[in-house]
């Protein structure tokens, strides 16, 4: 199972792409689908405020992945 290992942010500091442990890069929507299909081990999709789906970590502490390196 793959993991999210790096992120790319836009000019507004929002995560727009995720790099996986297999080297593939997914945009937000593609990454969300992979997580929902249980193909990513270190992430979950939750319904946030304003009914927007958010990709979060699923370790002991929930993270928004902003602590990962950027590519």
């Amino acid at each position: 199972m793959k993991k999210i290992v790096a992120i790319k942010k836009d000019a507004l500091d929002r995560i727009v792409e995720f790099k996986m442990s297999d080297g593939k890069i997914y945009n937000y929507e593609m990454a969300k689908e992979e997580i929902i299909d249980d193909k990513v081990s270190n992430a979950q999709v939750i319904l946030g405020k304003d009914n927007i789906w958010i990709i979060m970590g699923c370790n002991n502490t929930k993270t928004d992945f902003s602590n990962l390196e950027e590519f």
Side-chain angles (χ1 to χ4, degrees), residues 32-67:
K32 185 180 84 173
E33 293 301 318
E34 291 288 297
I35 295 163
I36 290 170
D37 291 343
D38 287 328
K39 296 180 180 177
V40 180
S41 65
N42 67 335
Q44 62 184 336
V45 177
I46 61 169
L47 189 60
K49 318 181 227 184
D50 304 325
N51 290 325
I52 295 174
W53 291 104
I54 302 170
I55 296 174
M56 298 288 289
C58 58
N59 303 355
N60 292 335
T61 58
K62 291 183 180 177
T63 176
D64 63 359
F65 295 105
S66 60
N67 60 333

Side-chain angles (χ1 to χ4, degrees), residues 11-44:
L12 298 175
D13 207 36
R14 297 176 299 197
I15 298 174
V16 292
E17 290 183 329
F18 297 87
K19 185 174 186 178
M20 302 294 176
S21 55
D22 63 1
K24 292 183 180 175
I25 296 172
Y26 295 102
N27 67 27
Y28 205 92
E29 191 64 31
M30 291 165 54
K32 185 180 84 173
E33 293 301 318
E34 291 288 297
I35 295 163
I36 290 170
D37 291 343
D38 287 328
K39 296 180 180 177
V40 180
S41 65
N42 67 335
Q44 62 184 336

